[in-house]
Amino acid sequence: MCGIIGYVGNRNVIEVLMKGLSALEYRGYDSSGAAIISDNKTKIYKAEGKLQNLKNLLNEKADEVKDSHVGIGHIRWATHGVPNLINAHPHTSNCGKIAVVHNGIIENYKELREKLTKMGAEFKSETDTETVAHLVAFKYKETHDLKEAVTLAAKELEGAYALCVVHQDEGNKIVATRRNAPLVIGIGDGEMFAASDVPAMIEYTKQAIYLDDNQVAVLTNDKIELFDENNKQIQPKIELLPWEPVSLSKMGYKHFMLKEIHEQPNVIRNFLTGKIHTAKEKVKLDEVKLDFEQLKQMNRIQIVACGTSLHAAMVGKYIIEELCNIPVDIEPSSEYIYRHTVTDEKTLVIGVSQSGETADTLTAVRQSKARNSHILIITNRPDSSMAREADSLIPVDAGIEVSVAATKSYIAQLTAFYLLAIHLAEIKNSCDNDKLVNLKNELLILPQKIELFLTKKEKIQKCSRMYSSSKNFIFIARGLNYPTALEGALKLKEISYINATGYPAGELKHGPIAMIDETLPVLSILMDGKVYEKVLSNAQESKARNARMIALTDVDSDERLEELFDFVLNVPHVDELVSPIMAIVPLQLLAYYIAEFLGKDVDQPRNLAKSVTVE
Ligand code: AGP
């Protein structure tokens, strides 16, 4: 969480920093700030709330910094201390000459704070980051060199950090370093950039250096000096970024989330292109670096992920077990990393992450790597920290997802799991070929069916209006749509703040049914297949307690539905195995329209950040 940017060069510093922070706004948006070196002074500007407030402030103050060539900026997602002006970054040393922006968490900040206070530092904020500013200041007194001071200070920091540091007495440079938090350096012509993520700089350069942990970079307008963890100067490895300048346009949609929901058919199509030619041919998934012999050695699969990616993993478990006959465990990464897991070289570990930067999943993946497991990463960011840990890497190519609530990346992750399961089944010969051919056919025609559904949104809009005043919501399903119920509920609570919960339909009577009364909407996911009748009878149990009854179904010939439910949301009929891809789309829309109707900030819901880089 939090995004940082640094710029040295001859462009308008405010413009570069603000554009960069806009592109990083997905990482946090509760306050922001910048430090700009101008007239040999470190000038600090901060604003509470959305980035626009900082932009407005800097517009007013533009004259104060018009001669500037160096600046650093920050967009915050608060961890230590409430989001106010004092806690907003940059943080400064008591002399006011040094300014620091930070992404991550300094875990030993309490000890450092105590130590630095004894040494005479006066703390103003509640943040962990302020310790870095004071620590660098003390090291600077010893060394009179910003790079040396940052290097020494970093050795005393525990936890995760990406840092950009400036000092007015060395006003032509930025010193940047990282450990367990992303930081990329952009090389321009007579200018240098540092940022938490590529979109912040891609408009200006495609040449980049991904810093490794503990490296320190000194950026001036015409050069980068890079030092390894032993403080030895090393040659930077410059990579060409496979990115086009990111279009942050909503393309006429009111919100990015709505645009991204509508992009889903093409996301699936693009993903399938080149991987399934015809249903009769084998899936081509060269990204998976496991052959028959290696696969034979694997006795289990573990999938680690968080949030929406975890729900994709749950569907993945179902499909892989169904087609490949290998036991699959799934676990939230945050649980996986703090217990003894039975993981070894016979375990295939799959990390799933839209961002590829989620701290818990990254740690889980690194732990498994240390135990010699084969690491397969499914991510939307092939340039991410997680991707760099992969033995096999499946980029899902959903395109940049701006809305904090994940939609198209989820659909892309699901598609990745189907392809992976079919691919493994084809290698292992573990599944009836007709079933695989049918599944491939179903995947190929799915984008059209979703497109068809997306042309008929009126009923969902009506349903959303009807239920938008509900304080609670229950989603029920069974089998491979149980994760759909969880994901539908997550979408709704994320962006509308309605207390929504997903349950396996059979579990309702084991407790949750106590909550049901005539005010509570219960949405039953009734996709055609082996659990259809079961979910229907579980829905009856809710009806008997006077719940407000909603059905989501691909069955259009069952008269019982109109009798049982107040509202029936229909989607085109699909094969049961691919039904999680179809069924999630109306639930994304339901969440979207309810939130929009309630006037919520759909793309940037409160308290959330898109990339969760702290444990
Ligand atoms: C999804 O809508 C959420 N924003 C969140 O649950 C997200 O899926 C989770 O934080 C995991 O992120 P990742 O996929 O980038 O690892």
Side-chain angles (χ1 to χ4, degrees):
M1 351 274 273
C2 300
I4 67 171
I5 177 142
Y7 176 69
V8 192
N10 288 324
R11 293 178 199 265
N12 179 322
V13 172
I14 294 182
E15 200 180 302
V16 177
L17 294 185
M18 292 308 106
K19 275 194 181 171
L21 289 182
S22 296
L24 296 175
E25 229 178 338
Y26 72 88
R27 302 178 71 87
Y29 34 79
D30 61 37
S31 56
S32 51
I36 296 173
I37 307 284
S38 164
D39 302 324
N40 301 321
K41 294 254 171 339
T42 301
K43 298 181 179 170
I44 304 290
Y45 303 91
K46 297 184 185 189
E48 278 181 38
K50 290 291 180 76
L51 180 62
Q52 190 55 45
N53 300 339
L54 181 67
K55 290 182 180 170
N56 296 345
L57 175 73
L58 283 168
N59 272 344
E60 285 166 27
K61 308 279 182 184
D63 277 353
E64 287 180 18
V65 292
K66 62 175 183 289
D67 66 331
S68 173
H69 301 294
V70 175
I72 56 177
H74 188 269
I75 187 120
R76 183 165 187 248
W77 185 87
T79 55
H80 296 66
V82 294
N84 62 17
L85 269 192
I86 296 175
N87 291 330
H89 299 214
H91 290 285
T92 52
S93 55
N94 288 147
C95 63
K97 295 180 177 184
I98 296 171
V100 175
V101 289
H102 166 220
N103 164 220
I105 287 183
I106 307 299
E107 283 170 4
N108 59 337
Y109 81 101
K110 278 198 179 131
E111 298 87 305
L112 285 173
R113 197 175 167 114
E114 239 170 68
K115 177 177 135 183
L116 292 162
T117 305
K118 281 187 192 140
M119 289 164 75
E122 284 173 25
F123 279 80
K124 300 186 198 90
S125 75
E126 302 159 83
T127 65
D128 52 335
T129 305
E130 196 182 346
T131 56
V132 182
H134 295 301
L135 192 56
V136 172
F138 281 110
K139 301 297 179 192
Y140 195 84
K141 274 190 197 150
E142 293 165 22
T143 59
H144 302 287
D145 181 282
L146 187 59
K147 180 224 133 200
E148 292 303 325
V150 172
T151 306
L152 289 175
K155 288 199 188 315
E156 293 188 29
L157 302 178
E158 286 168 20
Y161 55 80
L163 296 166
C164 283
V165 187
V166 289
H167 191 309
Q168 68 184 37
D169 296 345
E170 299 185 32
N172 64 336
K173 71 176 66 150
I174 295 170
V175 178
T177 185
R178 68 164 282 231
R179 189 195 299 156
N180 297 329
L183 190 62
V184 56
I185 306 295
I187 318 284
D189 189 9
E191 57 186 352
M192 296 286 165
F193 306 80
S196 300
D197 198 359
V198 170
M201 60 174 73
I202 196 68
E203 182 178 339
Y204 310 108
T205 182
K206 282 191 164 190
Q207 298 200 83
I209 299 163
Y210 288 95
L211 286 199
D212 284 337
D213 277 354
N214 304 317
Q215 290 184 337
V216 178
V218 181
L219 310 178
T220 48
N221 63 343
D222 56 355
K223 70 170 189 279
I224 166 171
E225 293 173 302
L226 189 63
F227 299 85
D228 69 9
E229 58 188 341
N230 302 315
N231 206 6
K232 192 171 140 249
Q233 189 160 358
I234 51 172
Q235 202 55 36
K237 196 174 130 229
I238 299 176
E239 294 178 32
L240 201 61
L241 296 169
W243 282 71
E244 290 310 318
V246 178
S247 159
L248 292 181
S249 152
K250 293 183 192 141
M251 309 286 282
Y253 289 98
K254 189 167 177 194
H255 293 98
F256 282 107
M257 182 177 176
L258 193 58
K259 170 180 162 247
E260 287 158 5
I261 290 172
H262 282 81
E263 284 171 351
Q264 296 183 117
N266 276 338
V267 166
I268 302 174
R269 253 185 217 117
N270 293 343
F271 199 167
L272 296 181
T273 304
K275 296 187 174 71
I276 301 183
H277 291 292
T278 65
K280 291 219 162 101
E281 286 173 70
K282 286 191 172 171
V283 160
K284 198 167 170 320
L285 203 58
D286 298 340
E287 291 86 345
V288 179
K289 311 289 180 205
L290 287 169
D291 58 23
F292 175 72
E293 284 308 318
Q294 288 165 300
L295 212 50
K296 230 170 60 183
Q297 300 303 314
M298 303 286 174
N299 54 21
R300 66 196 296 205
I301 295 178
Q302 289 176 341
I303 316 182
V304 285
C306 302
T308 290
S309 298
L310 183 68
H311 299 153
M314 292 171 80
V315 177
K317 169 188 164 77
Y318 195 103
I319 302 294
I320 295 171
E321 289 192 340
E322 173 88 13
L323 305 187
C324 310
N325 207 26
I326 307 177
V328 182
D329 299 323
I330 33 161
E331 199 164 352
S333 317
S334 53
E335 291 299 317
Y336 182 92
I337 59 183
Y338 290 112
R339 69 180 188 87
H340 174 76
T341 53
V342 184
T343 309
D344 57 23
E345 69 286 351
K346 290 187 178 156
T347 318
L348 167 62
V349 173
I350 305 180
V352 192
S353 173
Q354 187 284 131
S355 63
E357 299 294 346
T358 298
D360 289 318
T361 309
L362 189 55
T363 306
V365 160
R366 285 180 175 154
Q367 280 181 1
S368 327
K369 197 173 179 168
R371 293 183 200 145
N372 300 320
S373 302
H374 184 97
I375 304 295
L376 188 153
I377 299 295
I378 297 176
T379 181
N380 198 26
R381 295 298 303 270
D383 55 341
S384 61
S385 306
M386 220 175 288
R388 273 173 271 143
E389 302 291 336
D391 298 309
S392 297
L393 173 64
I394 305 185
V396 299
D397 289 337
I400 189 122
E401 190 176 62
V402 177
S403 174
V404 165
T407 53
K408 63 175 178 172
S409 63
Y410 177 67
I411 288 266
Q413 289 167 346
L414 291 181
T415 311
F417 271 116
Y418 283 91
L419 289 178
L420 176 65
I422 299 171
H423 179 66
L424 297 182
E426 285 175 341
I427 299 177
K428 279 177 61 113
N429 208 6
S430 55
C431 182
D432 174 52
N433 193 46
D434 288 348
K435 186 169 174 173
L436 296 180
V437 170
N438 183 49
L439 180 54
K440 282 182 261 184
N441 263 327
E442 285 292 328
L443 286 170
L444 287 168
I445 55 174
L446 201 54
Q448 257 169 286
K449 292 187 180 178
I450 298 175
E451 252 157 17
L452 177 71
F453 169 74
L454 285 171
T455 58
K456 300 175 186 162
K457 298 186 290 285
E458 298 75 18
K459 207 162 178 193
I460 298 264
Q461 286 166 315
K462 192 170 164 209
C463 180
S464 307
R465 269 196 302 278
M466 263 179 77
Y467 294 95
S468 61
S469 58
S470 306
K471 298 277 171 276
N472 300 290
F473 230 100
I474 283 183
F475 294 74
I476 56 169
R478 292 178 96 139
L480 82 174
N481 276 304
Y482 167 48
T484 313
L486 296 179
E487 177 59 11
L490 179 66
K491 287 285 91 72
L492 185 58
K493 62 189 149 200
E494 272 188 303
I495 61 171
S496 73
Y497 319 142
I498 291 172
N499 177 27
T501 316
Y503 292 107
E507 277 292 300
L508 209 58
K509 55 183 155 309
H510 298 287
I513 205 164
M515 295 185 296
I516 294 181
D517 63 16
E518 65 288 351
T519 66
L520 185 71
V522 176
L523 189 150
S524 308
I525 302 174
L526 284 151
M527 300 301 278
D528 199 9
K530 61 179 169 219
V531 291
Y532 178 82
E533 289 297 333
K534 293 285 167 203
V535 180
L536 202 60
S537 80
N538 295 137
Q540 291 276 10
E541 296 159 5
S542 306
K543 176 84 171 174
R545 273 97 194 155
N546 295 323
R548 302 177 75 188
M549 302 290 288
I550 311 168
L552 165 62
T553 185
D554 63 341
V555 174
D556 59 9
S557 55
D558 187 345
E559 285 168 3
R560 293 171 298 172
L561 296 179
E562 291 300 333
E563 280 165 28
L564 186 57
F565 293 94
D566 307 323
F567 224 106
V568 180
L569 298 170
N570 292 98
V571 290
H573 188 266
V574 289
D575 184 271
E576 186 185 16
L577 265 192
V578 297
S579 62
I581 305 187
M582 185 74 242
I584 193 56
V585 182
L587 301 186
Q588 295 167 338
L589 284 171
L590 183 77
Y592 172 79
Y593 285 120
I594 289 181
E596 202 243 330
F597 188 69
L598 294 174
K600 304 295 182 202
D601 191 344
V602 172
D603 286 331
Q604 295 184 336
R606 71 182 183 203
N607 304 341
L608 297 181
K610 190 149 188 74
S611 191
V612 184
T613 56
V614 293
E615 277 184 15

